[in-house]
Amino acid sequence: MASAKTDGVTVVDHPLVQHKLTLMREEHRSTQGFRRLLNEIGMLLCYEVTRDLPLEQIEIETPISKMMAPKIAGKKLVFAPILRAGVGFLDGMLELVPSARVAHIGLYRDPDTLVAVEYYFKAPHDIADRLVIVIDPMLATGNSATAAVERLKERGAKDIRFVCLLAAPEGIAHMRGEHPDVPIWTVAIDEKLNDHGYIVPGLGDAGDRMYGTK
Ligand code: URA
């Protein structure tokens, strides 16, 4: 998959992913269509974020002969969706890595201050030994993303990656400033945030659009 990488940020520019994002941005895309596309992009981003996982050679037997063949080695994965929109990526990712564990992180944005408030956190006990992939479609102010990563680190996570669909320059700067050890994968970097903390041009409220709550 093609991608462009600068300073810890990988923009996944594969045509399929870019095309699907454009469909999602369209104002009149149905709830069902939006959710399906988010799920599909989740799967494609999972492919990209796991691209460098180390392999080991193991001996297997095919119906014809023995051979040495590659198998993923080392750390197991945890997908950590930030509730609620992050859940939109989850099924697609679990399709590709069915053995992964899931950490749920409940954070909402206070509409006035835009500060992230935690209301739920549940993670596997062995999170320190796993690669944790935090998922949230929209990296806007970066308040939720930085708070989620902070909570995960407090619970022992050491190897963390962040995957989103759309990022604002402000959110990237915030994340890179607070957690420079956490690389970011996104499909696009948009122009800016508006006064309400929405990404411009963006796609609106991802949670509302995927669940039809507006
Ligand atoms: N969250 C969203 O769902 N959309 C934005 O534009 C910003 C944050």
Side-chain angles (χ1 to χ4, degrees), residues 1 26 57 71 89 104 111:
M1 187 179 280
E26 287 173 343
Q57 296 292 323
K71 185 171 180 274
F89 273 155
H104 288 93

Side-chain angles (χ1 to χ4, degrees), residues 85 109 136-141 166 193-194 196-208:
R109 289 205 302 179
D136 190 2
M138 310 300 273
L139 179 58
T141 60
L166 267 184
L193 293 180
N194 68 15
H196 304 288
Y198 280 92
I199 298 176
V200 181
L203 49 71
D205 189 300
D208 280 341

